[in-house]
Amino acid sequence: MILLNDRRTRRRRLGVAAAAGGLLAALLTATPAGAVPDPGDTPVAPKGVSKSAQAEAREAIENGEIPGQDEIVHSANIEHVANIPKDVLAGTNSDLAFQGRYAFAGNYDGFRIFDISNPKSPKTVSQVLCPGSQNDISVSGNLLFLSTDSSRSDSSCTSTTQPATEKSSWEGMKVFDISDKRNPRYVAAVETACGSHTHTLVSERRNVYVYVSSYSPNATYPDCQPPHDGISVIKVPRNAPEKAAVVGFPVLFPGEGPDGGGNPGGPTNPGVSKTTGCHDITVLPSKDLAAGACMGDGILFSIEDPENPKVIDRVQDNVNFAFWHSATFNQKANKVVFTDELGGGSGATCNEATGPNRGADGIYDIAGKGDERKLVFRSYFKIPRHQADTENCVAHNGSLIPVKGRDLMVQAWYQGGVSVWEFTDSSKPKEIAYFDRGPLGTDQLTFGGSWSAYYYNGYIYSNEITKGFDVLKIKDRRTDPARWVHLRELNVQTQPDYFG
């Protein structure tokens, strides 16, 4: 580990609404040459677009239909209060977690800790160099958890790339001690089958259970063999995190044969991802529930026994969902919002050609009780503003905005920006606020935009892939009551009971 310490709203015609081997710590002052991300950890390479798409994007900007390149637009009830550009960690910005007056921002090259005691002027506390996709991040007490979903030479923060076909390659979970925010210490590493694309914490008094989501097994990968229809469960003792270890691999999609029992994908279901594991899991500990977004399947399961989760119901959408990406419960736990990451996040899917039902959110009611509960589809939600074909845009990470009696959510849409929307009536969702930047360019499709947008203690925080750390303030009668809800810690994939 290397520690790096620091000193117009418009009308838019295209839309519908207004516009361990890492204990070495060294102080560096410039971008480190030692950061060597894996292939696949680096930003998605720009993609060429047709001459007509280029001309259309330029014309839309000239006519005021979409914002200009890098121009910021937002609804009248959103204020952009701060932006902190990327610094020595030059990789892709990823997920966020929060604790007290700190925000923890993942980056494919490591992670960064901000002091957000004054949200209008966040200060960098520390930056840790530890390359490895995606560096999905969570915190619990004095522990920080970091996902590595790329084949590395070893578990250290100075590792280099190495093919997954080599048995000695490493992927999995890293654990840091953050009792001193200015000097995080790398204390444990746990290898998991197929690595760790994302992870979810189930915290107890003495232990933290980590649900590790990973996928895409291959017969040529010694540590990632098919079928891979489950999740790794890691148990981390709080007082001895160095003893962290995998304690189980519950199979969520039982089935015979090499392909397991998940969605077979194409050609049986054209355009749908084959289920070979889960992409992301959200738990609601107060209800002993979890929702899994698992490539071609969405599942509801019980975590009453955290080491042995039990599937309650499973749904598919083989018409409009290509890749089940993430899930969010409402506060009453009678609804789940699943997201479809059509195009894997690098596609331009917020356009007229794709339509309103693909690359969108799917809203499901939870009907029934106990083990008889069922996921019942109600509607889709997608941002009501078309983006240029040079902007990657699709439903991505978001969180609840805690208001009693209403179901409100803030959500990232990559270059579609940040959207605040309501699904109190699960059949009639509607957007109530937005924040957006214009395209990164008009000549090619360049990967960027908001990866995660979360509400925490009165503000919205967004980790923007290329532009850095954004802080937004929403002022709206529908969301104002949330200002009185203050949390000591927030990992969005471990949803709190906001009013318990």
Side-chain angles (χ1 to χ4, degrees), residues 147-208:
S147 285
T148 300
D149 189 34
S150 55
S151 185
R152 311 295 299 181
S153 57
D154 54 53
S155 62
S156 75
C157 286
T158 55
S159 66
T160 57
T161 62
Q162 184 166 288
T165 51
E166 294 188 23
K167 176 62 179 174
S168 62
S169 295
W170 185 92
E171 301 179 57
M173 288 298 308
K174 295 169 180 169
V175 185
F176 292 78
D177 183 317
I178 53 168
S179 51
D180 180 356
K181 304 296 188 295
R182 294 187 176 277
N183 186 31
R185 294 187 302 110
Y186 186 8
V187 296
V190 181
E191 186 170 14
T192 54
C194 300
S196 174
H197 193 71
T198 66
H199 68 268
T200 305
L201 305 186
V202 181
S203 298
E204 295 183 340
R205 185 175 180 179
R206 294 184 177 181
N207 303 300
V208 180

Side-chain angles (χ1 to χ4, degrees), residues 282-339:
T282 294
V283 297
L284 188 59
S286 62
K287 304 292 185 182
D288 287 330
L289 278 179
C294 303
M295 305 181 72
D297 295 87
I299 58 174
L300 181 71
F301 57 102
S302 167
I303 58 167
E304 188 172 358
D305 178 355
E307 289 190 28
N308 299 285
K310 181 176 67 174
V311 175
I312 297 172
D313 194 27
R314 168 185 168 193
V315 290
Q316 296 178 356
D317 180 347
N318 294 318
V319 176
N320 287 314
F321 259 48
F323 187 91
W324 296 67
H325 175 276
S326 53
T328 303
F329 288 99
N330 69 336
Q331 178 61 33
K332 291 183 179 179
N334 59 10
K335 300 173 189 174
V336 182
V337 174
F338 288 102
T339 67

Side-chain angles (χ1 to χ4, degrees), residues 217-400:
N218 190 300
T220 66
Y221 299 165
D223 299 319
C224 184
Q225 292 283 299
H228 183 76
D229 283 344
I231 56 174
S232 297
V233 179
I234 298 173
K235 184 178 180 179
V236 185
R238 289 189 184 276
N239 293 332
E242 68 278 4
K243 296 182 180 179
V246 174
V247 294
F249 187 85
V251 175
L252 303 178
F253 303 97
E256 297 181 359
D259 296 328
N263 194 321
T268 303
N269 297 316
V272 177
S273 293
K274 176 183 176 181
T275 298
T276 59
C278 289
H279 178 276
D280 211 342
I281 291 170
T282 294
V283 297
L284 188 59
S286 62
K287 304 292 185 182
D288 287 330
L289 278 179
C294 303
M295 305 181 72
D297 295 87
I299 58 174
L300 181 71
F301 57 102
S302 167
I303 58 167
E304 188 172 358
D305 178 355
E307 289 190 28
N308 299 285
K310 181 176 67 174
V311 175
I312 297 172
D313 194 27
R314 168 185 168 193
V315 290
Q316 296 178 356
D317 180 347
N318 294 318
V319 176
N320 287 314
F321 259 48
F323 187 91
W324 296 67
H325 175 276
S326 53
T328 303
F329 288 99
N330 69 336
Q331 178 61 33
K332 291 183 179 179
N334 59 10
K335 300 173 189 174
V336 182
V337 174
F338 288 102
T339 67
D340 171 28
E341 196 182 37
L342 174 68
S346 62
T349 70
C350 295
N351 50 25
E352 186 175 2
T354 303
N357 297 336
R358 299 173 64 234
D361 297 315
I363 305 165
Y364 286 75
D365 285 351
I366 301 175
K369 297 181 179 180
D371 290 349
E372 301 302 316
R373 283 172 286 193
K374 299 291 182 183
L375 292 165
V376 181
F377 173 77
R378 292 303 184 201
S379 65
Y380 298 106
F381 170 78
K382 193 171 184 179
I383 55 172
R385 292 171 305 287
H386 289 163
Q387 306 292 310
D389 284 345
T390 59
E391 295 179 274
N392 62 304
C393 176
V394 74
H396 213 235
N397 294 347
S399 76
L400 290 185

Side-chain angles (χ1 to χ4, degrees), residues 99-110:
Q99 186 181 83
R101 61 187 177 97
Y102 298 101
F104 304 83
N107 178 287
Y108 278 34
D109 285 345

